[in-house]
């Protein structure tokens, strides 16, 4: 079985400070992991993905995530938050025979000017 | 290469009417997924289809909901006799034969009045 837990439903940071959005996964297989971002009333945009290559994955807009198998984590980070980063972020796991993408419940990021 | 196209973007239906949501996958993608997003919630898997086949419909309500992905044309998510609780954003995603990433459409926002 596969699942994803996003540990924080809301995160608030000041503009220019680091961002950390936490994600833990559970998978019986070697997982593929993704982070998607959703701006208000918009679709989902892929930020980055891990598919068993380098454990530190760089994505768009300065985001990156590190796959840590020992901790079953795939936390999303950014060194310096920008106002435009305010959005909903989803951690997603896929893999195995089900061929589904399993979504976390999302983390709402607020950036304070 | 156009992205995943969903239409309509917004759909208003009265209780008891039928709603038809369309999804055209990206060119060359043979896997389609439908997800539902209720207000303030994450995306819930509904159904996974390949051309002319339903692979996994474990997330679909047993009544009133159906999905198809014909040999030609878009995938259709059909909701019969809509009720207020069906109001949500419905997202479609597609992926290529070798699944390692899902590309999402902009979603259809269904409002039942």
């Amino acid at each position: 079985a596969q699942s994803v837990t996003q540990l924080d439903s809301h995160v608030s940071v000041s503009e220019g400070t680091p961002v950390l959005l936490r994600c833990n996964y559970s998978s019986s297989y070697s997982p593929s992991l993704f982070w998607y971002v959703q701006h208000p009333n918009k679709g989902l945009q892929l930020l980055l993905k891990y598919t068993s290559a380098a454990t530190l994955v760089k994505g768009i807009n300065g985001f990156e995530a590190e796959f840590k198998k020992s901790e079953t984590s795939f936390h999303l980070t950014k060194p310096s938050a920008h106002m435009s980063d305010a959005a909903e972020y989803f951690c997603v796991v896929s893999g195995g025979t089900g061929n589904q993408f399993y979504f976390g419940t999302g983390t709402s990021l607020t950036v304070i000017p | 290469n156009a992205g995943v196209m969903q239409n309509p973007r917004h759909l208003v239906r009265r209780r008891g009417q039928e709603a038809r949501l369309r999804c055209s996958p990206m060119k060359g993608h043979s896997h389609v997924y439908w997800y539902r997003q209720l207000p303030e919630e994450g995306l819930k898997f509904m159904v996974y289809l390949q051309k002319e086949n339903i692979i996994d419909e474990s997330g679909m309500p047993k009544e009133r909901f159906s999905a198809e992905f014909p040999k030609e044309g878009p995938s259709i998510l059909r909701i019969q006799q809509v009720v207020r609780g069906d109001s949500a954003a419905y997202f479609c995603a597609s992926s290529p034969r070798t699944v390692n990433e899902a590309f999402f459409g902009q979603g259809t926002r269904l409002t039942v009045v």
Side-chain angles (χ1 to χ4, degrees), chain B residues 65-78:
Chain B
F65 285 72
S66 62
E68 63 177 11
F69 187 18
K71 186 176 181 180
E72 302 290 338
S75 175
I76 306 287
L77 179 67
R78 181 182 178 203

Side-chain angles (χ1 to χ4, degrees), chain A residues 10 32 34 36 38-44 46 49 51 88 90 94 98-106, chain B residues 9 31 33 35 37 40-45 48 50 56 58 91 95 99-107 109:
Chain A
H10 299 278
S32 294
F34 311 82
Y36 284 85
Q38 184 182 30
H39 287 91
N41 298 314
K42 301 284 188 183
L44 289 100
L46 178 68
K49 64 178 179 180
T51 54
E88 190 83 15
F90 294 97
S94 76
N99 209 41
Q100 289 185 28
F101 295 84
Y102 295 86
F103 278 75
T105 51
Chain B
R9 293 288 306 278
H31 301 234
Y33 311 81
Y35 288 80
Q37 184 180 32
E40 307 296 323
E41 293 188 15
L43 279 76
K44 303 293 186 188
F45 169 77
Y48 160 45
Q50 293 182 18
D56 181 351
S58 58
F91 288 94
S95 66
V99 177
N100 67 355
E101 183 175 338
F103 295 84
F104 282 82
Q106 295 291 303
R109 281 159 179 81

Side-chain angles (χ1 to χ4, degrees), chain A residues 6-57:
Chain A
Q6 291 185 243
L7 299 167
D8 307 292
S9 58
H10 299 278
V11 170
S12 184
V13 300
S14 297
E15 189 176 17
T17 63
V19 176
L20 170 63
L21 305 182
R22 298 183 294 167
C23 172
N24 286 106
Y25 69 91
S26 173
S27 177
S28 305
Y29 306 91
S30 295
S32 294
L33 292 156
F34 311 82
W35 276 98
Y36 284 85
V37 61
Q38 184 182 30
H39 287 91
N41 298 314
K42 301 284 188 183
L44 289 100
Q45 181 182 21
L46 178 68
L47 278 178
L48 49 80
K49 64 178 179 180
Y50 166 77
T51 54
S52 75
T55 56
L56 181 61
V57 181

